[in-house]
Amino acid sequence: MGGPLAKLLDKRQMALTRARLKAWWDGSDFDLQAFETANETGAEINLEEELFEAPAPEFPARFAALALLWGEGRIAPGDDAACALAPAQLGLETGGAVALLGAGLWTPVAALANAHAGKIAAFEWREETFPSFAHGVKRAKLGERVSVQRVDIETYAFEAEAFDGVWSLDEFTFADEPARFAHRLAKALKPDRCLMIEFYAGLPSPDIPSAFASSFSEPHVRAAGDVAHFLIESGLKIEAHDDVTDEHIELAKRGFKGLETSLKEAGGIDVAVARELAWEAESWRTRLKLLGDRRLERRRIIARRPAP
């Protein structure tokens, strides 16, 4: 037997074999009737899917605490609506390739993917978050158009002129060499395309370290004008420079206001999670005070790489 019918039968047999093996792997009885019913109703069988998913990495207590405050799959204040605006802010065309740096965990990537149909390259520099980040992106089934890679923000060389847009979250808060980082991002942009960065800005203060005590790296908070200068020196043209401190404060307050509900829904948390939650709350108490006094600001800059 050959031709299309043979291929269809081979596909069905392969699906049956996979279903039997998966039931054995899960320690359950194989339900042939359920398998046949699913196929009779035309349920799609994805033969590209791995037979056995890799086990989920251990989800640290710290991430569980952050999820209670900021939502599942986030390490900082944010929401899906803000992510949905990013393609328009970057001026992305349908199908354009975009790089997202510093999402931390998977929810910002998923929100961006829901708003933009093009390819997304997610780069993450936090060693602690990367295993959970990569697993979460895979579990979200974002498809081949979303790639995930761990990088060193001080040394990684992005492919030249690879992206129609670049969105950086907090790299300019934590990079040791922001001028060099700006140059690398500028080179990654295609001509006449935009970069958007979000970062904390402020003047040196003894209070700043305690405001970032729960962060994943030592912060390097600089004056907003200095960060803008790094972008200009890399050959980019500033198109917008906005103070988004008030919006950032509201997002953070929303997280704390919803904490009681999150704790009730969790039905109790263990000691390690409670300890991490207290540490995060104390750190943010200082950060919110600095933000409220404008000794610390949240800034967003959009810059364009000029066409030749």
Side-chain angles (χ1 to χ4, degrees), residues 113-308:
N114 286 335
H116 179 62
K119 288 191 174 182
I120 299 171
F123 298 95
E124 182 54 47
W125 51 269
R126 300 171 183 87
E127 182 178 357
E128 302 95 329
T129 69
F130 186 75
S132 295
F133 176 57
H135 185 78
V137 169
K138 181 180 178 182
R139 293 289 294 176
K141 298 182 178 179
L142 299 176
E144 293 182 356
R145 68 188 181 93
V146 178
S147 62
V148 179
Q149 184 175 352
R150 182 175 176 268
V151 297
D152 183 336
I153 58 174
E154 306 299 342
T155 62
Y156 184 75
F158 298 93
E159 182 181 351
E161 299 186 3
F163 300 109
D164 299 284
V166 174
W167 184 16
S168 167
L169 292 166
D170 277 322
E171 278 68 35
F172 283 91
T173 302
F174 296 102
D176 291 331
E177 298 288 344
R180 292 181 182 178
F181 184 64
H183 276 280
R184 293 200 301 273
L185 291 187
K187 289 180 180 179
L189 274 174
K190 295 178 182 178
D192 201 32
R193 300 300 182 183
C194 286
L195 158 77
M196 180 167 67
I197 68 170
E198 298 181 29
F199 61 100
Y200 288 104
L203 298 178
S205 165
D207 297 320
I208 286 180
S210 58
F212 289 88
S214 62
S215 65
F216 290 88
S217 184
E218 183 73 19
H220 298 283
V221 177
R222 304 170 175 91
D226 290 345
V227 177
H229 179 72
F230 299 142
L231 298 177
I232 294 170
E233 286 293 300
S234 70
L236 299 175
K237 180 181 178 182
I238 304 294
E239 294 204 337
H241 186 165
D242 300 318
D243 183 339
V244 293
T245 305
D246 289 338
E247 294 94 322
H248 192 62
I249 290 173
E250 286 305 311
L251 283 173
K253 287 184 175 179
R254 184 194 306 175
F256 281 100
K257 287 178 182 177
L259 181 57
E260 182 178 356
T261 300
S262 297
L263 289 171
K264 287 181 179 178
E265 291 176 351
I269 57 176
D270 63 34
V271 174
V273 175
R275 186 184 302 116
E276 292 291 343
L277 186 59
W279 187 250
E280 183 75 5
E282 181 61 23
S283 178
W284 268 92
R285 184 183 69 83
T286 304
R287 196 181 305 188
L288 284 171
K289 186 176 188 305
L290 292 175
L291 289 165
D293 294 341
R294 283 304 193 275
R295 288 186 286 161
L296 186 67
E297 295 177 339
R298 186 72 175 175
R299 295 293 185 114
R300 178 191 297 130
I301 296 179
I302 298 175
R304 183 179 299 274
R305 178 178 178 180

Side-chain angles (χ1 to χ4, degrees), residues 2-125:
L5 181 58
K7 291 182 180 179
L8 178 61
L9 292 176
D10 286 346
K11 182 176 180 179
R12 183 180 181 81
Q13 184 60 43
M14 178 65 75
L16 178 61
T17 301
R18 285 175 179 263
R20 288 184 183 278
L21 285 172
K22 189 175 189 308
W24 167 77
W25 180 264
D26 293 338
S28 58
D29 294 329
F30 174 66
D31 189 338
L32 179 60
Q33 183 60 45
F35 174 84
E36 296 292 349
T37 301
N39 281 279
E40 287 172 5
T41 58
E44 182 181 355
I45 301 170
N46 183 7
L47 295 181
E48 301 300 322
E49 196 172 2
E50 293 182 9
L51 178 59
F52 307 124
E53 289 188 2
E58 182 181 355
F59 199 65
R62 186 177 188 184
F63 298 169
L66 295 175
L68 288 169
L69 268 175
W70 314 127
E72 192 69 29
R74 291 188 183 276
I75 62 168
D79 65 2
D80 291 354
C83 293
L85 292 174
Q89 291 169 321
L90 287 167
L92 287 174
E93 298 176 356
T94 303
V98 60
L100 173 58
L101 288 79
L105 290 175
W106 63 90
T107 293
V109 181
L112 178 60
N114 286 335
H116 179 62
K119 288 191 174 182
I120 299 171
F123 298 95
E124 182 54 47
W125 51 269

